[in-house]
Amino acid sequence: MENITGRREQGPRLIAIVGPYQSGKTTLLEAMLYRTGATTRQGKAADHSLAGDASAEARAHAMGVELNVAGASYMDDQFIFADCPGSIEFAEDARAVLPACDAAIVVCDADAKKAPALQLILRQLDAIGLPRIIFLNKIDRAEASPRDVLAWMQPASTKPLVLRQLPIWKNNVVTGYVDLALERAYVYRELAESQVVEMTEDLAAMEKQERFALLESLADHDDELMEQLLADMEPPKDRVFADLSRDVAEGHVTPVLFGSAEHGNGIGRLLKSLRHDVRGVSAVADRLGVKPGNGATAQVLKTFYTAQGGKLSLARVLSGELADGAVLHGGKGQEARVAGVFSFNGTAQVKLPKAAAGQTVALGRLEGIGTGETLGTAKGAIAQLDTHEAAPGVYGFAISVADRKDEVKLTGAVHRLVEEDPSLALTHDHDTSEMVLWGQGEMHLRVAIEKLASKFGVHAQSKPRRIAYKETIRKSVQIRGRHKKQSGGHGQYGDVVVEIKPLARGEGFAFTDTVTGGVVPKQYIPAVEAGIREWMGHGPLGFPVVDFTVNLSEGSYHDVDSSEMAFKTAARIAMTEGMPQCSPVLLEPVLAVDIHCPNEATPRVNQIVTGHRGQLLGFDGREGWNGWDTVKAMMPEAEIASLIIELRSATAGVGTFTAKFDHMAELTGRAAEQVVAAAKAA
């Protein structure tokens, strides 16, 4: 294949398929595989015959839950298609694969409610400078014309959207199209190439108008074409195609094609656009800053664990040639030897002796190498091309196994899951002694639990995570604690008088002593403090106690029966008896929350915040995001658990938030009583 400069490109082109949830991405992949002869029939989700989304989890939930890769050949050009999940909960796969792609097909349908989701995707493509083609799917069900659809789509795009086709309507249904660059009309045929037809006079007149709009957009980047239009001259078709290819490749315009993936309509035109308008791996290498002549370079797009082959790293070779057995170097100087090079097509793998620039292959057992890393055969640490960080978790629950001896197996399996999907995270909450699995939403974590069982044989139990409540005191008290026991031989004797006082919020715990006259020998004073610290982990309300001070002022001892243990016990007795007299009060963690949402959803988001005991601090336009707001609030951590679920419901699935601990606040009344009662019941 040649790019528009006539230079021969290397290897197959890597095309990402992205789009809002349920826009038909996997159906489009199936249609392209069938049209190119890569499959003998067009798969359908209903009968579980998809080449993509073949995992048990994807089929069980009827949605893409991880990246799927499939290859095809069209008119002697090779393509690898990377079908990315549409749900925002599984967006990490797209973030990792897009930088190494040659272009993206953005699949969308004529639903204005999906404009925010479309904007999220297009912003992501803008950030990495990736060329894209929009495929307006389900045109057979559309009630609005593509021109009307463009009216709501354009605000979501920073690049001009240009119609590449004009629809042919019959009885309020799109039955074909006019190619505006080629000036030729076609009618659709079920699961087959469209058929050329003559244009009627009315259609020809409409075609001239829409074609002129296309040429005007191209002329913005071609002065000679602009002069031809101003002079009413018809530009040569080869110039129109050359301009269109250049403008798409350089990101000046985004062409909009349409069709029906389910019926195989519009697929041929899309494949031809990919063939003519998308450059190959050399353009990707230039965009990412790969320096030629320094050995082979590859970018890891995804990590998979398979039952037979263990760890596989899906990678694209950006320069040079990568052979089986090659030693690769990562960004931290780590080394890993390639244990097999495989073509990766759905669930099928074929071993290869080597991979050349442009190829996307699976590399076997690259231990210590993660998703997103750049690898090279040159010795020493290699510069990283993609440094994006996975989105922080917004939903978490505690996980455990029935048998404690399986905990090591659980953490090992979760570690492998996190390698596959870095937007998952496992943390250990020291306050609640729970292992908490974090992800991007309820479905994200549900699928993770299912994968633990199906892929790694670990049957994890999940439950809502506990909130790290604490308690403090409002009043001071002086109390004596005495421990005296005589049971033959040496007895036990410890006697302390302590003053317990509250401290300001956030000051923690302080211990002092004002003992005089040796009434408590110095060697026993540390034991008094130790006894208090042991006790403060479980206060009168059942939670760790903070923000208070204890002063040891008096006491007594016995020459024979006193010991460190006796004074430690006396201190615990004093705290147990004294703390309930200090007016204990429950404290709950409060988080500073930034919620990002489309501005039409801001009133609903405000209601969600206040409905969860949140304090609104205000909102402003989200910086750099047209039509979006950032709502700032303080919210109790106990109310955050379901926030992402309600937020996604209120924002057509695109709202998100970040949160960080801000302070502890008193919790009183019925809410506090319920927390204390639940803790005692547990």
Side-chain angles (χ1 to χ4, degrees):
M1 69 185 162
E2 295 183 356
N3 64 16
I4 58 176
T5 64
R7 184 177 61 184
R8 191 73 183 170
E9 289 283 7
Q10 294 176 294
R13 280 166 280 190
L14 178 60
I15 309 295
I17 305 175
V18 295
Y21 177 54
Q22 290 188 330
S23 55
K25 297 175 296 301
T26 301
T27 304
L28 177 63
L29 171 63
E30 299 294 331
M32 291 191 292
L33 294 179
Y34 175 65
R35 183 60 55 85
T36 58
T39 57
T40 56
R41 59 170 294 196
Q42 184 167 322
K44 296 180 180 180
D47 56 12
H48 301 304
S49 60
L50 298 173
D53 286 351
S55 72
E57 294 77 24
R59 290 183 172 179
H61 299 292
M63 63 182 293
V65 298
E66 64 184 351
L67 180 72
N68 283 290
V69 178
S73 176
Y74 183 71
M75 298 179 71
D76 297 325
D77 279 0
Q78 302 295 317
F79 293 95
I80 299 293
F81 297 109
D83 181 19
C84 303
S87 169
I88 192 173
E89 297 188 24
F90 300 94
E92 177 60 28
D93 276 3
R95 278 192 285 266
V97 75
L98 286 172
C101 289
D102 298 302
I105 303 171
V106 182
V107 186
C108 193
D109 50 329
D111 184 354
K113 294 178 182 177
K114 293 183 179 179
L118 182 64
Q119 185 182 17
L120 284 180
I121 294 164
L122 295 178
R123 279 189 63 88
Q124 195 173 3
L125 302 181
D126 284 345
I128 57 178
L130 188 65
R132 77 295 308 255
I133 296 170
I134 290 180
F135 183 77
L136 185 58
N137 193 22
K138 306 177 186 177
I139 196 67
D140 53 315
R141 307 178 202 170
E143 296 180 359
S145 70
R147 176 61 65 186
D148 292 335
V149 174
L150 245 64
W152 64 257
M153 288 174 63
Q154 184 60 72
S157 174
T158 60
K159 309 292 184 185
L161 304 182
V162 295
L163 275 181
R164 181 74 165 75
Q165 299 167 305
L166 172 68
I168 299 175
W169 294 84
K170 184 177 181 180
N171 297 327
N172 296 319
V173 175
V174 177
T175 59
Y177 67 94
V178 178
D179 187 317
L180 295 176
L182 195 59
E183 294 189 286
R184 190 174 294 169
Y186 299 84
V187 292
Y188 293 139
R189 294 191 298 164
E190 185 77 8
L191 301 179
E193 286 281 356
S194 300
Q195 183 177 347
V196 179
V197 295
E198 291 291 328
M199 276 190 276
T200 64
E201 291 186 10
D202 290 344
L203 186 59
M206 293 173 61
E207 184 273 334
K208 289 190 179 298
Q209 181 180 347
E210 292 292 353
R211 175 177 165 81
F212 187 78
L214 169 66
L215 296 180
E216 276 189 315
S217 296
L218 301 180
D220 288 338
H221 308 282
D222 184 340
D223 292 340
E224 186 175 339
L225 178 59
M226 179 64 78
E227 291 175 3
Q228 290 175 336
L229 294 181
L230 292 174
D232 256 348
M233 295 175 58
E234 180 64 28
K237 283 189 176 62
D238 58 353
R239 182 175 196 91
V240 174
F241 279 112
D243 276 0
L244 186 60
S245 294
R246 185 190 65 247
D247 287 354
V248 172
E250 296 180 359
H252 297 315
V253 300
T254 298
V256 178
L257 306 176
F258 54 79
S260 169
E262 181 182 1
H263 299 289
N265 301 150
I267 305 305
R269 177 66 270 169
L270 176 60
L271 289 167
K272 290 174 183 175
S273 294
L274 294 176
R275 184 170 183 265
H276 292 295
D277 301 340
V278 176
R279 299 178 183 178
V281 70
S282 60
V284 179
D286 289 344
R287 186 178 74 237
L288 295 178
V290 176
K291 296 180 180 179
N294 194 27
T297 303
Q299 183 77 8
V300 179
L301 313 178
K302 172 77 175 176
T303 301
F304 294 95
Y305 276 90
T306 65
Q308 297 81 17
K311 180 179 179 180
L312 291 176
S313 300
L314 183 70
R316 191 179 195 200
V317 183
L318 300 175
S319 67
E321 191 173 80
L322 199 55
D324 189 4
V327 175
L328 295 175
H329 304 267
K332 301 173 185 175
Q334 71 269 46
E335 292 185 0
R337 184 178 296 276
V338 177
V341 179
F342 306 89
S343 66
F344 203 89
N345 198 1
T347 57
Q349 301 162 32
V350 178
K351 192 166 186 179
L352 306 172
K354 59 186 177 181
Q359 284 187 272
T360 301
V361 292
L363 306 176
R365 299 179 184 176
L366 296 184
E367 301 304 328
I369 302 297
T371 299
E373 287 201 56
T374 308
L375 310 174
T377 53
K379 288 187 177 181
I382 185 169
Q384 297 299 290
L385 304 178
D386 174 33
T387 57
H388 88 275
E389 294 185 3
V394 293
Y395 187 79
F397 51 51
I399 60 171
S400 61
V401 283
D403 193 333
R404 289 184 63 87
K405 72 176 187 294
D406 291 332
E407 285 185 355
V408 173
K409 187 177 180 182
L410 171 64
T411 55
V414 173
H415 175 73
R416 291 192 288 274
L417 269 189
V418 172
E419 281 194 88
E420 289 191 340
D421 181 359
S423 65
L424 289 167
L426 182 68
T427 62
H428 184 269
D429 192 316
H430 295 287
D431 288 320
T432 62
S433 299
E434 290 180 323
M435 284 193 293
V436 180
L437 183 63
W438 290 95
Q440 304 307 308
E442 185 179 23
M443 180 61 73
H444 191 209
L445 293 190
R446 188 188 304 176
V447 169
I449 293 295
E450 292 169 0
K451 284 185 176 181
L452 284 175
S454 65
K455 297 187 74 169
F456 306 112
V458 177
H459 298 275
Q461 302 164 342
S462 63
K463 64 180 180 180
R465 61 189 181 89
R466 295 201 299 268
I467 302 300
Y469 292 104
K470 292 182 171 56
E471 57 184 275
T472 190
I473 56 175
R474 291 171 169 170
K475 293 167 55 178
S476 301
V477 73
Q478 181 171 293
I479 192 78
R480 178 181 292 275
R482 178 178 289 172
H483 176 57
K484 184 178 180 180
K485 187 174 182 181
Q486 193 72 41
S487 58
H490 284 303
Q492 299 180 38
Y493 184 86
D495 178 32
V496 296
V497 177
V498 296
E499 298 166 301
I500 307 171
K501 296 180 179 179
L503 290 176
R505 192 77 65 246
E507 291 193 11
F509 168 69
F511 174 80
T512 58
D513 78 272
T514 55
V515 175
T516 59
V519 294
V520 178
K522 287 186 177 180
Q523 68 266 29
Y524 297 140
I525 292 177
V528 175
E529 181 179 356
I532 294 169
R533 288 188 179 275
E534 287 180 4
W535 177 91
M536 61 191 281
H538 194 83
L541 301 180
F543 299 93
V545 187
V546 296
D547 301 337
F548 72 106
T549 180
V550 177
N551 179 64
L552 172 63
S553 58
E554 294 182 38
S556 62
Y557 71 101
H558 189 278
D559 287 335
V560 177
D561 293 342
S562 288
S563 65
E564 289 186 358
M565 181 60 68
F567 273 96
K568 185 185 288 187
T569 303
R572 290 200 296 264
I573 291 171
M575 298 303 295
T576 300
E577 295 179 356
M579 268 294 186
Q581 303 176 39
C582 294
S583 188
V585 62
L586 196 64
L587 296 177
E588 66 173 344
V590 176
L591 310 183
V593 182
D594 286 353
I595 301 174
H596 307 298
C597 61
N599 50 26
E600 66 267 18
T602 301
R604 295 193 296 276
V605 170
N606 290 341
Q607 291 174 357
I608 291 172
V609 171
T610 56
H612 286 271
R613 299 191 291 120
Q615 177 189 0
L616 286 168
L617 303 180
F619 69 92
D620 204 349
R622 188 178 184 184
E623 186 176 352
W625 287 68
N626 181 39
W628 282 64
D629 285 335
T630 296
V631 177
K632 292 184 176 292
M634 291 289 178
M635 294 188 67
E637 185 177 359
E639 302 288 343
I640 291 288
S642 63
L643 176 62
I644 193 63
I645 298 172
E646 294 185 50
L647 185 58
R648 297 261 167 82
S649 177
T651 61
V654 298
T656 190
F657 71 90
T658 58
K660 62 181 180 179
F661 173 78
D662 191 81
H663 64 279
M664 300 295 290
E666 288 189 10
L667 179 63
T668 59
R670 181 168 177 77
E673 292 172 0
Q674 290 175 336
V675 171
V676 173
K680 290 181 178 179

